[in-house]
Amino acid sequence: MTAYTLHLGNKAYSSWSLRGWLLFSAFGVPFDEKVTPMFTPEFEQLRRDVAPSYQVPTLLWNNDGAEHVVWDSLAIAELLAERHPEAGHWPADPAARAAARCLTAEMHASFRALRAAMPMNLKKQFPGKGRSEEVDADIARIFQLWGWARDRFGDGGPYLFGAKFTVADAFFVPVALRFETYGVEAPAPLVNTLAALQTAPTLDQWRAAADAEPWIEARYDVV
Ligand SMILES: N[C@@H](CCC(=O)N[C@@H](CS)C(=O)NCC(=O)O)C(=O)O
């Protein structure tokens, strides 16, 4: 058993769970995980049991015998960056690190139209669905952010901040998977970055687990 137990929702549908999971998995931080399918009595029970909030991801962190709950992906990122500096969650360069925090914060707080109209669904494909003026504006802003980061900090590799996968990449992986599901293409300078996010470190394990899940939620179908 590790110091960390990460509670997750369905791997096929829970985009915030994926972000939390990548913060451990893609950075080599040992952890235990527990998947509870959303919209079930078991999930409702966890919501009551794990205070003060039960959303996924929720991290239970055992620190020298004291158990703490961390129920937000950004807080999990900062906790792990503090406790595991060798894992390199953020870029080493201060300017790149500040920029990576800007991109991550914007992902954490924004893109509601995209998130509502194009829910993450690793079980199905809906090419061309979910588009609207508001969604297109979100997509344009995301590509603008990616291009901005790549132009300034992207030398040496395909990720947003170059050769190394960082928290900023982890936060945009579920967006890249939505682009796969809904057939959104990147502008030419960002094609490699989109592909790199769609094949992020350890993501194949998450995809395989999502494929194997028995639960199908029609509420994530966009028709
Ligand atoms: N701000 C949270 C968002 C977490 C979130 O919205 N999780 C969704 C699943 S993707 C959830 O738990 N939904 C169930 C619910 O709210 O009842 C984070 O950054 O972790």
Side-chain angles (χ1 to χ4, degrees):
M1 183 165 163
T2 69
Y4 303 113
T5 301
L6 185 64
H7 284 263
L8 304 165
N10 313 45
K11 291 190 173 176
Y13 305 120
S14 179
S15 58
W16 291 105
S17 294
L18 171 55
R19 292 181 177 95
W21 186 87
L22 284 169
L23 294 171
F24 288 89
S25 178
F27 295 89
V29 178
F31 70 113
D32 297 291
E33 64 176 74
K34 167 113 179 56
V35 172
T36 304
M38 298 182 291
F39 318 111
T40 62
E42 199 186 349
F43 193 87
E44 288 309 316
Q45 186 60 47
L46 280 167
R47 192 193 295 284
R48 287 190 288 273
D49 290 350
V50 183
S53 157
Y54 190 82
Q55 279 195 320
V56 280
T58 285
L59 175 65
L60 298 182
W61 165 37
N62 191 310
N63 190 25
D64 292 333
E67 188 159 80
H68 305 286
V69 60
V70 188
W71 67 93
D72 181 87
S73 53
L74 199 45
I76 294 170
E78 294 296 2
L79 176 76
L80 295 185
E82 283 170 19
R83 291 180 53 80
H84 304 277
E86 73 291 347
H89 282 86
W90 295 110
D93 170 67
R97 189 160 63 248
R101 285 193 162 109
C102 289
L103 265 71
T104 302
E106 189 159 336
M107 179 62 248
H108 191 255
S110 313
F111 310 123
R112 292 189 187 282
L114 173 86
R115 281 152 55 183
M118 294 183 173
M120 192 176 94
N121 187 333
L122 300 187
K123 294 260 185 213
K124 297 192 181 165
Q125 299 286 312
F126 305 106
K129 302 284 185 193
R131 302 298 283 256
S132 68
E133 209 175 303
E134 292 77 16
V135 171
D136 286 352
D138 279 354
I139 292 170
R141 173 64 180 163
I142 288 164
F143 286 139
Q144 183 189 32
L145 281 174
W146 292 7
W148 182 90
R150 295 270 316 142
D151 286 348
R152 282 159 188 76
F153 305 107
D155 281 352
Y159 295 116
L160 294 171
F161 291 85
K164 204 166 173 317
F165 185 83
T166 70
V167 172
D169 298 296
F171 268 62
F172 280 103
V173 164
V175 168
L177 295 181
R178 287 172 158 103
F179 290 174
E180 187 177 287
T181 300
Y182 297 91
V184 178
E185 287 178 13
L190 293 172
V191 165
N192 289 346
T193 295
L194 178 58
L197 296 182
Q198 289 168 342
T199 55
T202 71
L203 183 59
D204 54 341
Q205 295 166 34
W206 179 278
R207 286 180 186 268
D211 279 351
E213 283 179 350
W215 316 292
I216 302 288
E217 280 293 341
R219 73 189 78 201
Y220 290 103
D221 286 359
V222 173
V223 287

